[in-house]
Amino acid sequence: MPSILRRSRRRELILTKSFKNAIQEKSIYCSSSVVDRTNFPSSPSPSKSPDFARPSLTLSLYRSPISNLQHHPIHTLPPELLIRVFELGSFDDALFLITISHVCHPWRMLAIHTHTLWRRLSFDSHGLRLWKERIARARGCSLDITITPPQHRFPDIDALALQLHLIVPHISRARSFELRFSSYSPFLWNTALGPICHQEQRDNDSMGAHTCAPFVHALRLEKLTLCFPENDDSKEFGLFAGVAPRLHHVTLDGIRLTWLPGLYGRLTHLDYTHHGFTTGSIAVGEVLGMIRISCALRELRICFRRRMLDGEVLCLSHDGVPAGQIHLLQLERLVLAVDKSDINIPPELTSLLSRLSVPNLRELHLVDLRCQPANRRWWKSAPFPGLRAALSLFEVTIPSSIKVLAMAGRWADHSSILSLAKRFRELRNLEVDGVEKDLVHMYCLSGDLPLHDGAWI
């Protein structure tokens, strides 16, 4: 008898009917359990669970094929609310987004695919690998760049150079750019601003040298902050090759910049602390030249700081500044600040104010940087020696239609407050050392009562 293992006697493998039915039933069950997470019905039926009454990205992420699965109430939050919570948390902790992206898969998908969450780059002790990943996840969104070394610690020049090397290729995407240094280090501005001051790139080939498109143009930049009070470098820097068409908010302290119309001609907010390398009429002319270019300002803060210089500082005179007044027709808020090291009101401040015309001014704030909010209750110094002369100048140069007047520290002279209130007839808010004064009570004590037409009894 031939063996059953012989090739000629083998039977062909044929699927039986019962086996086919078993496979078919299994495939139907699996296909019914698969949920399409991208194509949810736009209007869910009322018979569905209340947890899925609102179609959204969050519900599509949390949708489960198990109908009786209990969902946590946090899973029903709209994605817009979750994104806002993630955004607020990322302001305090650079690693917050990394933490929440490891909580669960839906949160990770929501965080990674919301590119605006990764736009903020706050360089501190974390490595550059983290910031490279944030730039990659931000995709095409604009960036908010902040470089602020820890206080009471010398800035690391090598680390700063590496950070700028990472940032410069993406400077055209920057929406805000902030550099703050509280500790002294030589050549700090050269290291920080040198890479973004190039005018153009040049490439040499066999046909000769030709100019390539510059890569330091800040096409999306809206806010610029550069602060280094201990700076001793008197060099003048020209930023972003003179191109920043959206820039409208600038804060400067301890730096000299080439004030170009293409960069600063559209400013609406300027917080300027003079670098101190120039004094007297030269400093006034320098600031007036800046204000003349930025004539669309709505808010202006000015402070003059003095410093000890070892040698003479080269400064080009601003010949384009006219001899008359500089008109700021859109200015609504003016802040005059005195540095804590000054014992009197700087003459540059009063000279500058006498050259300005601000017919639409609404708020005047007189700030003393020596008077800190925590010390106002326990410490009070005498007014400035030249305060009376400065207040007399204010009565001439400041329009009588201002609504808010705030005085602090050595600016506050209680014997002159009432006369100022009479001069500014439309005054609605008077604040002295952080305390709002009752104007009607003051007028009653002095025997003067204001009438509706602006006259006085």
Side-chain angles (χ1 to χ4, degrees):
M1 179 182 290
S3 173
I4 60 174
L5 298 179
R6 291 176 60 91
R7 185 184 301 272
S8 59
R9 301 296 300 270
R10 287 181 182 175
R11 296 181 57 186
E12 296 183 1
L13 296 178
I14 300 175
L15 295 179
T16 61
K17 186 176 181 180
S18 59
F19 190 69
K20 287 182 180 179
N21 294 337
I23 295 178
Q24 187 175 6
E25 291 178 0
K26 184 67 175 177
S27 61
I28 293 175
Y29 174 78
C30 293
S31 62
S32 63
S33 301
V34 175
V35 179
D36 186 1
R37 301 191 178 200
T38 59
N39 298 320
F40 271 96
S42 57
S43 57
S45 59
S47 60
K48 292 197 173 186
S49 173
D51 293 340
F52 302 102
R54 181 183 182 274
S56 64
L57 174 62
T58 305
L59 298 184
S60 65
L61 292 173
Y62 288 112
R63 186 66 179 248
S64 173
I66 305 176
S67 58
N68 59 351
L69 180 65
Q70 296 294 329
H71 294 279
H72 193 278
I74 198 173
H75 293 170
T76 62
L77 289 177
E80 299 83 4
L81 183 57
L82 280 176
I83 292 172
R84 182 57 178 167
V85 173
F86 296 165
E87 182 180 2
L88 294 176
S90 63
F91 281 106
D92 298 329
D93 185 5
L95 299 178
F96 180 79
L97 294 178
I98 305 297
T99 303
I100 59 102
S101 63
H102 287 77
V103 173
C104 59
H105 178 73
W107 280 19
R108 179 176 178 83
M109 292 296 101
L110 188 63
I112 290 179
H113 293 288
T114 306
H115 307 308
T116 55
L117 291 176
W118 306 93
R119 72 189 335 163
R120 186 169 179 265
L121 307 178
S122 180
F123 290 87
D124 45 24
S125 58
H126 303 292
L128 295 181
R129 183 179 178 182
L130 171 64
W131 307 114
K132 290 180 181 179
E133 184 64 25
R134 291 181 72 102
I135 293 176
R137 291 185 178 183
R139 299 293 179 90
C141 296
S142 56
L143 303 175
D144 296 327
I145 303 172
T146 303
I147 300 179
T148 308
Q151 295 185 358
H152 311 296
R153 185 183 301 178
F154 293 104
D156 189 346
I157 297 296
D158 296 333
L160 180 62
L162 290 176
Q163 292 169 359
L164 267 297
H165 180 74
L166 173 64
I167 290 173
V168 166
H170 307 281
I171 202 67
S172 60
R173 296 170 51 190
R175 184 179 65 170
S176 64
F177 187 71
E178 179 178 354
L179 287 173
R180 289 185 183 271
F181 304 109
S182 57
S183 302
Y184 172 76
S185 181
F187 309 109
L188 199 55
W189 276 144
N190 276 334
T191 304
L193 301 181
I196 60 176
C197 291
H198 297 306
Q199 295 295 327
E200 59 188 9
Q201 288 180 283
R202 293 190 176 274
D203 184 20
N204 296 326
D205 56 7
S206 59
M207 301 299 295
H210 67 275
T211 302
C212 300
F215 67 98
V216 293
H217 289 175
L219 302 178
R220 300 188 186 182
L221 188 65
E222 300 177 3
K223 184 177 180 180
L224 175 66
T225 302
L226 302 175
C227 295
F228 184 24
E230 303 298 328
N231 174 44
D232 60 352
D233 187 358
S234 61
K235 184 186 300 182
E236 193 172 280
F237 295 90
L239 305 179
F240 310 118
V243 179
R246 298 185 180 182
L247 185 62
H248 63 82
H249 190 290
V250 171
T251 300
L252 301 177
D253 185 357
I255 185 173
R256 295 181 65 193
L257 296 180
T258 303
W259 212 257
L260 302 175
L263 275 175
Y264 311 107
R266 290 168 290 273
L267 292 185
T268 59
H269 177 100
L270 176 60
D271 185 348
Y272 180 73
T273 300
H274 191 58
H275 44 71
F277 298 119
T278 58
T279 58
S281 60
I282 299 179
V284 174
E286 184 178 354
V287 178
L288 285 176
M290 297 166 53
I291 294 177
R292 182 171 177 266
I293 292 176
S294 305
C295 57
L297 289 172
R298 295 183 177 274
E299 182 173 351
L300 174 63
R301 183 187 184 275
I302 293 292
C303 179
F304 285 89
R305 177 181 293 125
R306 300 184 181 276
R307 67 173 71 242
M308 300 299 296
L309 301 177
D310 297 333
E312 184 179 357
V313 177
L314 177 61
C315 181
L316 300 178
S317 60
H318 292 265
D319 299 331
V321 179
Q325 289 185 327
I326 303 297
H327 298 277
L328 296 177
L329 302 181
Q330 303 181 36
L331 190 67
E332 299 177 354
R333 190 173 188 266
L334 177 62
V335 181
L336 303 178
V338 177
D339 192 60
K340 57 184 178 181
S341 61
D342 290 330
I343 61 175
N344 199 2
I345 301 174
E348 294 88 352
L349 197 62
T350 55
S351 179
L352 176 69
L353 185 61
S354 64
R355 296 285 304 276
L356 296 180
S357 174
V358 286
N360 297 316
L361 190 67
R362 293 294 177 265
E363 298 184 21
L364 175 62
H365 297 260
L366 307 176
V367 179
D368 183 8
L369 298 181
R370 181 184 294 183
C371 179
Q372 299 297 329
N375 300 331
R376 288 175 182 172
R377 181 178 178 182
W378 306 105
W379 177 80
K380 178 65 177 177
S381 61
F384 290 117
L387 181 60
R388 292 294 182 91
L391 295 181
S392 300
L393 177 64
F394 293 162
E395 294 181 0
V396 177
T397 57
I398 303 300
S400 60
S401 59
I402 65 171
K403 308 293 185 182
V404 178
L405 175 61
M407 311 168 69
R410 292 169 291 175
W411 284 103
D413 183 11
H414 294 277
S415 62
S416 304
I417 292 178
L418 187 59
S419 61
L420 287 175
K422 291 181 179 180
R423 167 67 177 85
F424 305 125
R425 298 187 300 270
E426 299 183 15
L427 196 63
R428 295 294 179 266
N429 189 355
L430 176 62
E431 185 177 307
V432 180
D433 288 331
V435 179
E436 185 175 353
K437 298 294 183 179
D438 189 353
L439 292 174
V440 177
H441 180 66
M442 291 176 55
Y443 299 146
C444 292
L445 292 179
S446 62
D448 297 328
L449 292 176
L451 300 179
H452 293 287
D453 58 354
W456 296 84
I457 298 178

